[in-house]
Amino acid sequence: MSRLHKRCFTIVLVMLLTLGIYAPVQAQATSAGGGYWVPDDKIKQATELMKQGKSLGELEIKQDQVQQKEGIQTLDELMEADQQSKATYRANLAPPIKTAVGWVPPEFDYDHILTVDECRGSPDSSSETGYIKNRYSFCWSHVATYQVPVKCIGGICINAGVQFQFTEIGYGSNQSRNMRIYYTLDDIIVTDPALNGAKLKIDMVCESKLNAGDCKEDPGYPPTERTIAHWKNTNFDTEIFTSEAPPATDSNPDQLGYMEFWPKLTLTHSARKYKKSIDGIKQTVRYDSAKYMFAFPNQYFRQGAVFSKATPVFNVPITKPEFKMLTEAGQHWKEAMDHPEQTKPQMVGKNIPGAVGDSTLTRMYTKRHQDEYNLNRNKTRRICDREFGDEDRTGKQCDEYPFASTWEGSSTNGSDNFSVRMISADSNGAAGTWLGAWYAYDRILDGDAFNVEVEAPEKIATIRSEGQPQDGQDNRSSDNFTIGNIPPYATKLQWKIVDGPKEAKFDVMKDISFGIDETIFYDLTDGTESEIKTSEDFYIARPKNTDGESFTVEVYAIP
């Protein structure tokens, strides 16, 4: 190379480095480029680096991620893995319906994830587990970036890039052993027009986990390969999987099958001899052919496919007017979980399971375990006769919690960790009908674990206040109190004056160490509803309309 040519090359190289078009190779970068799933908190940085042709390796993002097939497992191992999942979902069921023949359940209704925006609106959608909305809807959404080396000279490389938002939405079934995955590509960016001709193949990989026939791809919905330009015009597709029902056996009477699946995205640019694959997260599908999935009077759901790595929460929203018929039963269940020491029969150290965050309940299919179910019912009747035998029980029935159809029932729990209460026959009938329907609608099989959550006002704080600021204080009229442990269904706080002048009005301030205390709530009165704010350092301030009398405030979290 002549001195003139060397000088020109050096000048051009310095200019390119200054403009950020060329970049020195980082420790993690290679001339082979890479494929990445970009964490949400690094998307902006990754996009800028990609547009500058620089390697994403300096962001310390793991590249070229590939899932490994792990082979067949036992049913016990698979069911244990389901129960170890920390994810939960809340079942939202319409209320039961009163008819001339009694209570009947609502029609079954899939509450699917319907749009990409709905998926991406969940903070779990980009997590390591994805977002399980319910047993029939799952989604995962992540930014994928591919870097294709264009030219490397003297250890200095320039990369072209392709980036897009990949979203998959999975749909189970309450009628068949089929599951469907719909996926889209959005916000597609290319930094070199030549990459519009690169081919991207999307393949949903599946692996049978219990039986050989657990994972069969529908040939009518094969993997899809298109150029990036074509993906820009048609940015979605679908794959469908099905499971062959194995023979029913004593160890597998519900003909369970298990499948894991994950997306494999492969970008190929033949001109650059580039081919990279990245795999998304794994998700589990459980198939069954349980014939007892039945809701009165004539709804049958004999086969199903569900996303099983999330614990169902039987949600009872008794504060909604349309669920008034469940109020008595729901209040009993909630108080049994929250205040077991106040329930009957009395027992020192009583602990009643089922609450979210506590131990779960376990369904017992009564016809498969008739003797155990009868033991629960007989013990409940006996305890009710003993506890309420002297009361007028006209129009009432004995309600038990945990339910007789669980292994935590009055007899099968092995102790007296249960509660009985007399409630109206109407509420008891509505609750029983509704629970039975939910078992069928959410495919709660024999041995499945679940939690119970009753959406009702929950007291989270009690504080006594003076009727005027304390001695030496300009505003403070109470000690500090805490608002925390808000139930997930709560949307507001409610303030109640339970002792003292009902006409009192007050503010709530926050105690700020080494700073000026801040007013958080203004002009609260008995029954006021406010937004939710949490702190360990709130106090009552500036009370009015008290005539100097002290008063007690209770704070409730309400739906």
Side-chain angles (χ1 to χ4, degrees), residues 497 500-506 524-526 543-547 549 551:
I497 298 174
K502 285 286 189 177
E503 299 77 19
K505 181 183 290 188
F506 57 93
L524 299 176
T525 58
D526 182 37
K544 303 174 185 176
N545 303 334
T546 66
D547 291 329
E549 293 183 40
F551 56 99

Side-chain angles (χ1 to χ4, degrees), residues 29 54 112 149 186 253 267 286 288 341 388 399 462 471 530 544:
K54 297 178 181 179
H112 279 317
D186 297 290
L267 186 74
R286 185 188 75 184
D288 76 83
E341 73 284 352
F388 308 108
D399 184 45
T462 302
D471 291 343
S530 71
K544 303 174 185 176

Side-chain angles (χ1 to χ4, degrees), residues 242-308:
T242 189
S243 163
E244 291 181 349
T249 63
D250 289 343
S251 60
N252 188 6
D254 294 330
Q255 299 169 274
L256 298 181
Y258 275 85
M259 175 190 91
E260 285 187 337
F261 72 92
W262 62 91
K264 179 180 286 293
L265 283 63
T266 304
L267 186 74
T268 304
H269 194 297
S270 299
R272 298 291 174 189
K273 297 182 173 56
Y274 174 95
K275 185 175 183 178
K276 292 291 180 184
S277 295
I278 54 174
D279 291 350
I281 65 168
K282 287 184 177 181
Q283 188 52 263
T284 302
V285 177
R286 185 188 75 184
Y287 300 97
D288 76 83
S289 297
K291 305 300 188 293
Y292 53 90
M293 295 289 102
F294 163 75
F296 180 85
N298 55 7
Q299 297 183 74
Y300 293 88
F301 309 96
R302 294 187 173 93
Q303 298 183 98
V306 301
F307 300 101
S308 57

Side-chain angles (χ1 to χ4, degrees), residues 473-492:
Q473 298 288 329
D474 293 328
N475 302 302
R476 176 191 289 272
S477 59
S478 78
D479 294 335
N480 284 5
F481 66 96
T482 298
I483 292 181
N485 297 322
I486 305 295
Y489 57 80
T491 60
K492 295 176 289 187

Side-chain angles (χ1 to χ4, degrees), residues 59 66 275 345 460:
L59 297 179
V66 178
K275 185 175 183 178
I460 55 174

